[in-house]
Amino acid sequence: MTNHKSLAIVIPMLLAASNGVNALEIFNKNGNKLEIHGSINPSYELTHSFFSTKVTSHNDTTNAVIGLSGEINIADELFSYASVEYSTDFSAPEELLNKQQSNTVRLGYAGFKYGNWGSIDYGRNYGVFHDVQALTDHIPYINKNSIFACNDNYMIGRNNGLLTYKNSNLFGLINGMSLTLQHQNENNNREEYQKNGSGWGASLKYESDVGLTAIGSFFSSERSQVDKNNNQNQKFSSVGAYGLGFKYDANNIYIAAFYGESHNLTPSFHVITQNNLPNEQSYINKTQNIEAIAEYNFSSGFHPSLSYLDSKGQNSNTLNSSSNQDLELAKQINISTRYEFNKNISTYMNYKINLLKNNNFVQTKNISTDNIIGAGIVYHF
């Protein structure tokens, strides 16, 4: 595979931040409230070879996200809440001849919260492992190649069938200590590499008064029964992952680091590449991630940052093969700048230096070794 440098010009125009951070309140009375949030993201990518003016690829990824979240006061200290988030792909035609899905529900869950006893909800939500991995995903365009940032992959990212219990300040006994417990039902009505068996996970977080936060997360799951029946020659009795992370967010400084390790979680083709599914079914026995980011926030609105990502695999177990090898899945440095004109408008530029070496595994799986520069404007309300 020829090594290229790429120029990706991405100009998203977000009309609101997701998950209610800058949500627009449309109703609030007697403890009952309803908020709306969303974004519209026109984006386009251009790629060219090194020292070439010829554009080799075009990619329109324009999309939109809109969400609603509500809370109802049932009794003293007892609340019910719900949230739904919907996305659509604007680059797709109105009528899809290949029946490709262009509209998706990102989140959809409902539950109850009672005082210091915590909250419990069920539905499509973020997996428990997102708690720790999100520390280094501080800027959305930084670590998209992380194997722990993909959705519909057990308790990584967003997924279905999640029963989640959260408790802040540990029943009111320890300030800053938060606990999350999660159970996931088996999901079989999906693509082969998106199926999962039942499992459970937990996350423990401590936030200090000086800006330091430490998080530990893990989960363990069975493979789906369908998956195990189709892979009788492979020993995939369970899937699991654990991660440890910390951040310092004070005095205009943001520093975060994350280490994660998983077992039998990552397909060998991996989400890094956009290839079609391979004919043979294979998983990487063990994957390890190291991620770090540092950002300084100037009072003028200028926010430079530097991040690093290193993802490795070990002992690739492929159907009808007993070969073991060490694999480089992703390795990159991101140099980024962000400038905030005000609380609503900001602009950014990001340069990704790809440190992957061009070897047989990279060529076979068609993993990109390109360097990418991206720029954009973000508008919030």
Side-chain angles (χ1 to χ4, degrees):
M1 182 176 61
T2 305
N3 188 21
H4 297 87
K5 286 191 177 181
S6 301
L7 175 65
I9 302 175
V10 185
I11 306 179
M13 296 293 292
L14 279 73
L15 292 186
S18 68
N19 211 24
V21 176
N22 292 300
L24 177 64
E25 189 175 78
I26 57 179
F27 179 81
N28 190 343
K29 186 177 181 180
N30 298 328
N32 304 318
K33 62 181 180 180
L34 180 65
E35 297 177 334
I36 186 171
H37 63 269
S39 65
I40 298 178
N41 308 280
S43 58
Y44 197 77
E45 294 181 354
L46 301 175
T47 303
H48 69 84
S49 304
F50 185 52
F51 283 149
S52 174
T53 58
K54 181 181 178 181
V55 175
T56 57
S57 68
H58 302 259
N59 188 23
D60 184 0
T61 58
T62 301
N63 64 87
V65 176
I66 189 169
L68 282 172
S69 58
E71 186 176 285
I72 298 176
N73 186 2
I74 300 176
D76 186 26
E77 294 190 295
L78 177 61
F79 294 86
S80 66
Y81 61 91
S83 182
V84 62
E85 193 171 272
Y86 176 85
S87 67
T88 185
D89 181 7
F90 283 171
S91 64
E94 290 188 27
E95 297 182 8
L96 295 171
L97 300 180
N98 59 0
K99 305 301 181 182
Q100 178 185 356
Q101 186 177 9
S102 61
N103 303 321
T104 58
V105 176
R106 288 161 50 95
L107 297 172
Y109 60 88
F112 296 91
K113 180 179 180 180
Y114 182 73
N116 290 329
W117 290 97
S119 65
I120 186 168
D121 55 63
Y122 179 79
R124 180 171 177 83
N125 205 340
Y126 282 97
V128 68
F129 205 85
H130 181 262
D131 290 352
V132 62
Q133 197 278 328
L135 293 178
T136 52
D137 204 15
H138 181 58
I139 301 175
Y141 51 85
I142 292 283
N143 287 329
K144 288 187 176 180
N145 289 128
S146 171
I147 61 173
F148 295 116
C150 50
N151 301 308
D152 297 295
N153 188 18
Y154 291 86
M155 299 182 199
I156 305 292
R158 297 183 297 271
N159 211 333
N160 297 343
L162 292 173
L163 178 66
T164 307
Y165 169 78
K166 292 186 177 183
N167 186 290
S168 300
N169 297 327
L170 208 62
F171 301 97
L173 301 176
I174 304 177
N175 290 333
M177 185 72 75
S178 301
L179 172 68
T180 301
L181 301 176
Q182 193 169 71
H183 178 269
Q184 184 176 34
N185 292 329
E186 184 175 15
N187 290 304
N188 281 322
N189 57 341
R190 50 181 62 190
E191 294 292 338
E192 187 68 31
Y193 286 94
Q194 294 179 326
K195 296 175 183 177
N196 66 266
S198 62
W200 71 281
S203 179
L204 187 65
K205 177 172 68 173
Y206 178 74
E207 296 179 273
S208 70
D209 296 332
V210 296
L212 284 172
T213 299
I215 305 178
S217 301
F218 80 95
F219 76 88
S220 179
S221 298
E222 298 179 352
R223 286 214 173 272
S224 68
Q225 189 61 45
V226 174
D227 194 31
K228 287 189 290 187
N229 292 339
N230 292 337
N231 293 275
Q232 294 179 355
N233 295 331
Q234 292 179 296
K235 296 180 180 180
F236 291 141
S237 58
S238 63
V239 180
Y242 72 88
L244 302 172
F246 79 90
K247 74 172 181 177
Y248 175 77
D249 187 8
N251 301 316
N252 297 321
I253 298 174
Y254 187 95
I255 299 176
F258 160 75
Y259 174 80
E261 184 173 307
S262 67
H263 300 272
N264 302 326
L265 173 71
T266 310
S268 66
F269 70 93
H270 188 46
V271 76
I272 292 176
T273 173
Q274 299 299 321
N275 288 350
N276 293 327
L277 297 180
N279 292 327
E280 61 178 10
Q281 296 175 5
S282 57
Y283 292 88
I284 297 174
N285 297 148
K286 181 180 178 180
T287 52
Q288 296 173 306
N289 254 42
I290 297 175
E291 303 177 22
I293 182 173
E295 178 180 283
Y296 187 80
N297 303 317
F298 288 95
S299 58
S300 62
F302 182 62
H303 306 275
S305 66
L306 180 68
S307 71
Y308 175 76
L309 166 66
D310 187 3
S311 180
K312 296 180 180 180
Q314 295 179 1
N315 301 326
S316 176
N317 189 347
T318 304
L319 192 61
N320 300 325
S321 174
S322 59
S323 61
N324 295 327
Q325 55 182 322
D326 294 333
L327 310 172
E328 290 281 354
L329 302 177
K331 194 172 186 179
Q332 64 192 51
I333 295 174
N334 288 273
I335 303 171
S336 306
T337 59
R338 177 169 51 94
Y339 182 77
E340 296 180 352
F341 294 96
N342 53 45
K343 65 179 182 179
N344 300 109
I345 302 175
S346 63
T347 184
Y348 70 85
M349 179 171 288
N350 178 48
Y351 182 58
K352 184 181 82 171
I353 303 173
N354 200 326
L355 303 178
L356 271 185
K357 295 181 179 180
N358 200 355
N359 52 45
N360 290 334
F361 178 79
V362 169
Q363 293 178 2
T364 301
K365 302 305 178 183
N366 198 27
I367 299 176
S368 174
T369 58
D370 296 350
N371 294 340
I372 297 176
I373 184 171
I377 297 174
V378 181
Y379 175 57
H380 300 272
F381 76 86

